[in-house]
Amino acid sequence: MGTKRDEDEPSAERLTRNWNELLQELRVMQTGVQILTGFLLTVPFSDRFTALEDHQKVIYLGVLGGAVLTTALIVAPVSFHRILFRQGERDWIVEAANKCARVGLLLFGLVSSTVVLLVFDIAVSTTAGLVAAAVSVTVSGTLWYGVPRVLRRRHLT
């Protein structure tokens, strides 16, 4: 359901505003994902990497793959825009960027939580890692999905 602002705003202006808001959100996410991915890329070159247990290396590779996939998702809208610039596809670009941002945010939460799992697994124990990851997923899910859904329902009623 649109807001009064959406109803009063011409479609082209709304698309431009939506695109600019999406870009701001993607910039915030991109910084965190790039830092995390960059850090993960250095891990195999540390002396301790060879001391990791096999299951920890599997977790690491899953985390790294997830971080790279997350990066691809949050950078994709830039490519969409660059390739389709002035082709009359702004509506598609905004919709596709929105989907990429949503999936990228979900993956970022999972990747971050899996990093927590790996760190706790190495530092304390696998059980501690699983508990810490579950807490991380719960907090991220609550803040990033639950809270906005509750507020949205309040505004719709």
Side-chain angles (χ1 to χ4, degrees), residues 38-58:
F39 165 75
L40 288 169
L41 288 170
T42 67
V43 170
F45 302 104
S46 72
D47 292 336
R48 281 202 46 168
F49 187 77
T50 57
L52 292 181
E53 295 177 22
D54 287 344
H55 80 277
Q56 292 168 334
K57 289 179 182 177
V58 169

Side-chain angles (χ1 to χ4, degrees), residues 44-100:
F45 302 104
S46 72
D47 292 336
R48 281 202 46 168
F49 187 77
T50 57
L52 292 181
E53 295 177 22
D54 287 344
H55 80 277
Q56 292 168 334
K57 289 179 182 177
V58 169
I59 294 169
Y60 165 77
L61 291 172
V63 168
L64 179 62
V68 169
L69 181 57
T70 303
T71 301
L73 279 164
I74 63 170
V75 172
V78 175
S79 176
F80 300 161
H81 183 264
R82 192 55 16 222
I83 291 169
L84 299 172
F85 182 64
R86 296 189 181 177
Q87 302 297 313
E89 296 292 339
R90 176 148 298 178
D91 195 29
W92 181 90
I93 293 169
V94 170
E95 184 63 32
N98 179 49
K99 288 177 182 172
C100 286

Side-chain angles (χ1 to χ4, degrees), residues 127-139:
T127 301
L130 291 169
V131 170
V135 169
S136 179
V137 165
T138 302
V139 169

Side-chain angles (χ1 to χ4, degrees), residues 81-126:
H81 183 264
R82 192 55 16 222
I83 291 169
L84 299 172
F85 182 64
R86 296 189 181 177
Q87 302 297 313
E89 296 292 339
R90 176 148 298 178
D91 195 29
W92 181 90
I93 293 169
V94 170
E95 184 63 32
N98 179 49
K99 288 177 182 172
C100 286
R102 286 174 177 249
V103 175
L105 190 58
L106 172 70
L107 281 177
F108 186 53
L110 292 174
V111 165
S112 298
S113 297
T114 309
V115 166
V116 169
L117 166 65
L118 182 60
V119 170
F120 272 74
D121 185 11
I122 292 168
V124 183
S125 70
T126 301

